Amino acid sequence: MRYDIAIIGTGPAGLEAAITAKVRNKNILLLGTKALSAKVESAHVIQNYLGLPEISGVAMQQQFQKHLDAMNISITEDRANTVYAMGEYFAIQGHADMYEAETVILACGMSVAKAFPGEDENLGMGVSYCATCDASLYRGKSAVVIGYSQGEEKEADFLAEIADEVIYIPMYDEETSLGSRVKVMKNVTPIKMERVGSKMVLTLDNGSIETDGIFILRESVAPSQLVPGLEIEDNRVVVDRSMKTNLAGLYACGDITGAPYQYIKAAGEGNVAALSAVNFLADKKKKQ
């Protein structure tokens, strides 16, 4: 199935884009989490969102969900790993499935995590961001999983069903709950990764691990890694006033486009991005 508009992210920008696109009668894919936005939920009080004075983050999330329910908008719980511009459409590689869309709106927030030394250079050649996508490549091999939240543990367990050895390094304080086939290494810090011969070597603050592959499972992927060829400046996606990126049919909105990091600004950009995507589709249809 090919969607009219795929929206990646379930914060204020992504939700507003989805609502606007749905009002315009477009077939949409909304990728993200049914918990919506951890950033919004954790806000103590929000004072500058029009119509919702002195509202808590939890209460705002509830209002967002009511709006989605009223418009019968569903969320596909998956995380986009890579977005490929295929010419006439976009292919989105998720952790759970592959998706296709005529246009894409990036509303996945700002990734503050810095790449490890050696991460970018070895991406696709021993470094991966999706264990469920690449697990089949590690049958009979070993792998290290660096997980940034408890939600990543299920990917390590899945990988352990195929690989001979899986080492899991949690980058969080909460207790882990992994199967017996996964070895957990706590209280260690990854420093860098490099290819040595046919193996990857992960250097830690207290030693090193030689393995066949390294999976880095963060809550969000840096935009430069998410979309090949996307124009980035100071870790933000470059857009014009229509939220258009340098790639035709691809739009971005919210924190991913830079400051100010305000919910009202994100929602406004989501509205503009969706309208721009709708106009792009209309122009494309006229040319066909």
Side-chain angles (χ1 to χ4, degrees):
M1 178 180 183
R2 186 173 297 177
Y3 296 89
D4 293 326
I5 304 173
I7 301 154
I8 302 173
T10 46
L15 299 183
E16 179 58 41
I19 289 166
T20 301
K22 188 68 180 288
V23 167
R24 293 304 181 99
N25 201 33
K26 296 306 174 187
N27 181 21
I28 64 172
L29 169 69
L30 180 56
L31 280 178
T33 171
K34 292 180 179 178
L36 303 186
S37 167
K39 180 181 176 182
V40 173
E41 186 177 30
S42 62
H44 175 65
V45 63
I46 300 158
Q47 297 178 314
N48 67 340
Y49 202 98
L50 183 64
L52 299 173
E54 299 290 332
I55 191 170
S56 70
V58 171
M60 178 175 274
Q61 294 271 66
Q62 292 171 347
Q63 292 298 318
F64 287 168
Q65 188 60 58
K66 285 181 182 179
H67 202 157
L68 294 178
D69 294 341
M71 298 190 67
N72 197 30
I73 295 174
S74 62
I75 295 170
T76 299
E77 284 204 297
D78 200 355
R79 185 179 304 162
N81 186 48
T82 314
V83 178
Y84 299 101
M86 305 298 291
E88 291 299 312
Y89 69 97
F90 291 88
I92 303 167
Q93 182 187 54
H95 281 225
D97 208 344
M98 289 288 294
Y99 311 92
E100 293 183 2
E102 298 286 337
T103 62
V104 171
I105 296 174
L106 302 178
C108 38
M110 181 179 180
S111 175
V112 297
K114 292 184 178 180
F116 292 107
E119 176 182 333
D120 292 342
E121 297 90 328
N122 291 290
L123 188 60
M125 297 180 291
V127 174
S128 173
Y129 297 138
C130 182
T132 54
C133 305
D134 295 338
S136 61
L137 302 176
Y138 289 84
R139 190 174 304 277
K141 297 183 179 181
S142 64
V144 174
V145 177
I146 303 171
Y148 281 78
S149 73
Q150 289 176 306
E152 321 300 352
E153 295 176 11
K154 58 185 179 182
E155 288 203 46
D157 278 331
F158 177 79
L159 181 61
E161 294 177 9
I162 298 172
D164 276 2
E165 179 187 48
V166 173
I167 296 173
Y168 186 79
I169 300 176
M171 303 294 285
Y172 48 91
D173 297 327
E174 292 85 359
E175 286 297 316
T176 57
S177 178
L178 289 135
S180 59
R181 289 179 57 84
V182 179
K183 178 184 177 181
V184 179
M185 290 185 66
K186 295 183 177 181
N187 302 316
V188 298
T189 303
I191 303 298
K192 66 177 182 178
M193 49 200 68
E194 58 186 327
R195 175 161 288 282
V196 179
S198 62
K199 295 284 187 177
M200 290 298 299
V201 174
L202 176 64
T203 301
L204 306 171
D205 57 347
N206 64 350
S208 63
I209 303 172
E210 185 179 87
T211 185
D212 291 304
I214 301 170
F215 292 87
I216 306 169
L217 307 183
R218 300 187 181 98
E219 292 187 359
S220 60
V221 177
S224 58
Q225 298 160 336
L226 180 62
V227 187
L230 183 63
E231 184 180 356
I232 306 293
E233 184 177 287
D234 297 328
N235 201 36
R236 66 175 181 85
V237 178
V238 177
V239 294
D240 62 15
R241 285 185 57 81
S242 68
M243 300 295 110
K244 179 182 178 181
T245 71
N246 63 306
L247 301 176
L250 182 72
Y251 303 86
C253 53
D255 287 359
I256 199 171
T257 66
Y261 303 113
Q262 300 285 318
Y263 302 132
I264 191 73
K265 172 260 194 185
E269 288 190 349
N271 171 262
V272 174
L275 292 174
S276 296
V278 168
N279 290 335
F280 176 86
L281 291 170
D283 290 342
K284 184 178 179 179
K285 188 175 182 180
K286 288 178 182 178
K287 295 175 181 178
Q288 289 177 343

